[in-house]
Amino acid sequence: MREKLGNPKNTIEVIQKYQFAFQKKFGQNFLIDPHVLDKIIGAAGVTKEDMVLEIGPGIGTMTQYLAEAAREVVAVEIDNNLIPILKETLAEYDNVTVINEDILKVDIKKLTEEHNGGRPIKVVANLPYYITTPIIMGLFESNVPIDNITVMVQKEVADRMQVGPGSKDYGALSLAVQYYAEPYIVANVPPNCFIPRPNVGSAVIRLTRHKEMPVQVADPKLMFRLIRASFNQRRKTLQNGLNNAPDVSFTKEQIMAAIESLGVPATIRGEALDLQQFAQLANYFTENCK
Ligand code: SAM
């Protein structure tokens, strides 16, 4: 087997050979630490049964690790300049398909049907940080069958995904992620594990999709509208936040009654509610405010 990527020497060699120019707009920071790579694959629990979707393979560093651990890897890369490089670095793996496309435009559900018979896939990636939230929310909201998503993200974003009420990092992203999945921070990763070095800290987070939803909500879209309205005006009371939100159309009286039904003070702020309470609030509106 040719020497694996994942150590700085081999990565620099490939980059020089192809005179590859890093593109900031694509969030290109390539991993050069084999320990971190092993940790990611281990945390995702990739086995020879699995189909893995990799988002943004770069020069194929993590793809090589995934190809050895998984049954099949589908890697989606937006940057045309990386495609010839991937052809070379992944030449000896016959279980990898590279798709040259913007991940936000790919029909992942269809991909899962074609490559995994609709069974749950694993998503593993060192994500381009500029589109972390749309990628993760897109995966959850499009009902792609998923076992877990194990990804490198900005440290601050990983923190936001796993906190609850009472933390300054708690927000709409925390609630959205926790509605769909159980978050677990696998490792913090310093800038010197990448080339070029990002100017923020990073963390690997695993989001294990709930087998059963943690709360029962009749209208999840309504719940997320309420959540967004509450956090858009963080310093306001929940009541004012909901009254002023353009996409929440209940009357002042209905809003007051809904908050009262939670058994919390009328002056409570939205940031004090947990997922269960937001679900209760949404269900109150669905049942009583037709
Ligand atoms: N996986 C590689 C590694 O760990 O060394 C590269 C990770 S780098 C942080 C992010 C990768 O995502 C880059 O290869 C970048 O070109 C790619 N990318 C950026 N935006 C993308 C998009 N919208 N769709 C698919 N890939 C994208």
Side-chain angles (χ1 to χ4, degrees), residues 52-70:
V52 175
L53 169 66
E54 186 189 9
I55 298 162
I59 59 169
T61 309
M62 187 144 76
T63 326
Q64 292 183 338
Y65 283 70
L66 289 169
E68 280 173 26

Side-chain angles (χ1 to χ4, degrees), residues 26-31 54-58 61 76-79 82 101-103 126-128 130-131:
F26 289 144
Q28 290 175 339
N29 300 95
F30 297 166
L31 262 170
E54 186 189 9
I55 298 162
T61 309
V76 179
E77 174 56 61
I78 198 170
D79 187 351
L82 288 167
E101 185 52 283
D102 177 349
I103 187 65
N126 170 15
L127 285 181
Y130 74 105
I131 43 170

Side-chain angles (χ1 to χ4, degrees), residues 9 39 97 150 159 197 202 218 241 255:
K9 190 175 143 275
K39 213 161 195 172
T97 309
T150 305
D159 290 340
R197 293 178 185 203
S202 302
I255 291 170

Side-chain angles (χ1 to χ4, degrees), residues 155 157-160 162 183-188 203-206:
K155 161 113 183 54
V157 176
D159 290 340
R160 269 195 268 147
Q162 68 145 23
Y184 170 71
I185 294 190
V186 175
N188 290 324
V204 178
I205 190 163
R206 181 182 63 211

